[in-house]
Amino acid sequence: MSDKHARTLTQPSNRAKAKDALEKKMVFKSALASPYLVQWPSVPLNLQNDILGHLVQALEGASDYRAAQSRLVRKRKRSVRVAERQAKKRKSDRMGQGQLDNEGSTVTNNDVVPQERTTECISEMPDPRPPAVLRHVVHGLNEVTKKLENQVQALRRPILVADSKPSSPTFLGTVFVCRADVDPALLTDHLPHLVAFCNSGNPAALVKIVPLPRGSEMTLARVLGVRRVTVLAIDREFAVDQNLQSLLDRVPDLSAPWLLKKAPTSTLIETHVRHIRTTAPKDMKAAKELRTLEKSEAKRKKKLIKGS
């Protein structure tokens, strides 16, 4: 008897197609893209590195604050657990000695002492003072997206009720994106459109969007004391360093010309051409001859089927 536990099928499948014997080569085909597509600003790599270095200097002290805050939270939780453990132990001791009645309705002053001591211990631990830059920083893809969407909505003309008071939200001034570290990069492709909409609604106060070099995601996360930073934004009220501001001025501004609040003009939107990567046979003449033979063979089979 054979030792094989499975049958081996050598007959080719009827659905399997014969492999193309022609060799392929990679080619790029041009196609018209949407004229309403907002491209990322073209920023040289050396300028990205300089901006990242100055941004890290501006965020100094954030990681120390978050580390001190986490240590303080752990100490407070530990003190609360110790106080609760001591209170339970005292209560069990009193119940064993028969100091509490059967209904357990009487409460002595000793029951409140651990809670008061816990409150005193917590109040004695002062909160660390956050650096001033954290009041003007928003990080996280979802948070920055919400801020930009609210900024776009605020630039429109809202309908106010007589009793309502118009609010003055803090608008973002610069958005830093670790685009080279995002996989897939499609997750951040909506940010240039939002920034362009903000700039078109208020050309007097432009919003900058800056792509950062590869590795900036972990660098910013280490400076801020968090796990990961994909997008970071700074509002307009933050006093940016002059050196950093001079570098940001070299970043091109994004805008959506079709959303500008101007009189309609007869100017045409610039044509955008994109390139699609595909494959093509290396020998085009042999490929055409093979395609002609396949067509003639298909016609011959079709005639045979009709004749039968």
Side-chain angles (χ1 to χ4, degrees):
M1 187 175 179
S2 177
D3 296 335
K4 297 178 67 176
H5 299 284
R7 295 175 58 188
T8 303
L9 302 177
T10 57
Q11 182 180 0
S13 174
N14 295 329
R15 297 183 180 180
K17 295 182 179 180
K19 293 185 178 179
D20 193 357
L22 297 176
E23 295 183 359
K24 299 285 186 178
K25 63 180 179 180
M26 186 181 300
V27 295
F28 292 90
K29 292 185 177 181
S30 302
L32 288 177
S34 173
Y36 303 108
L37 182 65
V38 180
Q39 301 289 342
W40 284 85
S42 179
V43 183
L45 185 59
N46 57 349
L47 181 59
Q48 295 181 18
N49 292 324
D50 294 341
I51 291 175
L52 178 61
H54 286 81
L55 182 61
V56 169
Q57 293 179 2
L59 297 175
E60 286 183 353
S63 60
D64 298 337
Y65 164 72
R66 294 187 186 277
Q69 192 178 25
S70 61
R71 287 195 299 268
L72 180 62
V73 170
R74 288 195 297 268
K75 286 182 180 179
R76 287 177 175 176
K77 289 182 178 179
R78 192 183 304 114
S79 62
V80 170
R81 287 196 299 267
V82 170
E84 290 178 352
R85 197 179 302 116
Q86 292 177 356
K88 289 181 180 179
K89 185 178 180 181
R90 292 178 182 177
K91 185 176 180 180
S92 61
D93 293 343
R94 287 196 300 270
M95 291 180 65
Q97 295 175 3
Q99 294 182 0
L100 296 177
D101 56 357
N102 295 330
E103 297 179 355
S105 58
T106 59
V107 179
T108 60
N109 294 331
N110 295 329
D111 297 334
V112 190
V113 172
Q115 187 175 2
E116 293 179 352
R117 290 178 180 175
T118 304
T119 307
E120 292 177 358
C121 293
I122 293 176
S123 61
E124 290 177 358
M125 301 178 185
D127 294 333
R129 180 175 298 179
V133 66
L134 287 183
R135 295 196 298 268
H136 307 281
V137 170
V138 180
H139 63 86
L141 180 60
N142 294 335
E143 294 297 327
V144 175
T145 301
K146 290 178 183 178
K147 282 281 188 180
L148 290 174
E149 289 176 349
N150 295 335
Q151 190 165 335
V152 172
Q153 292 291 337
L155 292 175
R156 298 181 179 180
R157 295 180 179 178
I159 301 176
L160 300 177
V161 188
D163 297 336
S164 63
K165 296 181 180 179
S167 58
S168 57
T170 303
F171 289 161
L172 300 180
T174 310
V175 180
F176 303 93
V177 185
C178 305
R179 189 180 177 222
D181 297 326
V182 179
D183 186 21
L186 187 65
L187 293 175
T188 58
D189 281 352
H190 63 284
L191 295 177
H193 294 80
L194 291 176
V195 172
F197 295 162
C198 294
N199 294 339
S200 301
N202 188 10
L206 297 177
V207 181
K208 294 280 188 177
I209 181 168
V210 184
L212 296 178
R214 185 177 299 276
S216 57
E217 186 177 22
M218 299 308 299
T219 302
L220 293 178
R222 185 171 58 254
V223 173
L224 288 176
V226 295
R227 292 184 178 180
R228 182 175 296 179
V229 178
T230 303
V231 183
L232 184 141
I234 299 177
D235 59 23
R236 296 176 184 170
E237 296 182 357
F238 178 67
V240 182
D241 184 40
Q242 294 182 358
N243 296 328
L244 179 58
Q245 186 62 44
S246 62
L247 296 175
L248 294 177
D249 292 339
R250 296 165 56 184
V251 178
D253 298 324
L254 298 183
S255 64
W258 57 91
L259 293 178
L260 291 176
K261 298 179 181 179
K262 294 181 179 180
T265 58
S266 59
T267 57
L268 299 178
I269 300 177
E270 183 181 357
T271 303
H272 297 273
V273 180
R274 62 177 181 175
H275 294 82
I276 303 174
R277 185 175 63 181
T278 182
T279 57
K282 289 185 177 181
D283 192 353
M284 296 297 297
K285 184 177 180 180
K288 289 181 180 179
E289 293 177 355
L290 181 61
R291 189 161 54 248
T292 304
L293 291 176
E294 290 177 352
K295 288 182 179 180
S296 60
E297 185 68 19
K299 289 181 180 179
R300 188 182 64 82
K301 289 182 179 180
K302 190 174 182 181
K303 289 181 180 180
L304 291 176
I305 293 174
K306 287 184 178 180
S308 61

